[in-house]
Amino acid sequence: FPVTIDRAVLIGQSGASTEQTTKANEPTDKSLWAKAIAQAKRKFDVYPSQYANAWAASWYKKHGGTWVTKKDADGYTPPAGVQAQAKRGLALRSEFGRGGTSVGIARARDLSNGKSVSRDTIMRMVSFFARHAVDKRPDWSNPSNPSNGYIAHLLWGGNAGKSWANKIANQINKE
């Protein structure tokens, strides 16, 4: 599965910029991998998800599939709406002292700062929103007492993040 590695690259005396490199394990047998994905889509209600991908990888390997490592330097910059929602999530978490995990907080920091995110991160965002759709309640965004689920939702970019991640995931899946 893709693993994101961030490393700072100095730009003259002015400071540091972040260069993002993604190492992705790529299947060597594309048709067998397509069968594994099709099987996972039949087996799991939500695809893509970490569970479905892990199951598909296991199925692929069990049927003789192998992997090759490939470097991929492309990333996706979150639009202003996603950045604003993540900033709002960080503000609510600070104000109420709850909502979201350390992963969600890190995601919000990256999104709110406009940091480019990898394909793997996009897929994790899609998976997060699919898993947490059940958290939506009629009063979850109550300004005086937002739910933990609402704060977590905002940390991952809110509704703007969900739409953006789903759009990119659909493009990725068409490739």
Side-chain angles (χ1 to χ4, degrees), residues 135-148 150:
D135 294 340
K136 282 192 171 187
R137 306 261 192 278
D139 66 338
W140 83 321
S141 62
N142 179 342
S144 63
N145 187 25
S147 72
N148 289 351
Y150 179 66

Side-chain angles (χ1 to χ4, degrees), residues 146-165:
S147 72
N148 289 351
Y150 179 66
I151 295 170
H153 179 78
L154 290 176
L155 292 173
W156 284 78
N159 291 336
K162 179 180 178 187
S163 297
W164 176 64

Side-chain angles (χ1 to χ4, degrees), residues 1 33 36-37 39-41 43-59 123-124 127-128 131-132:
F1 298 145
W33 179 242
I37 296 299
Q39 292 292 327
K41 286 180 179 178
K43 183 171 178 63
F44 294 92
D45 292 334
V46 177
Y47 187 85
S49 73
Q50 289 179 330
Y51 296 109
N53 283 339
W55 184 89
S58 176
W59 186 95
M123 293 312 205
R124 279 181 284 179
S127 180
F128 170 85
R131 280 193 321 274
H132 293 278

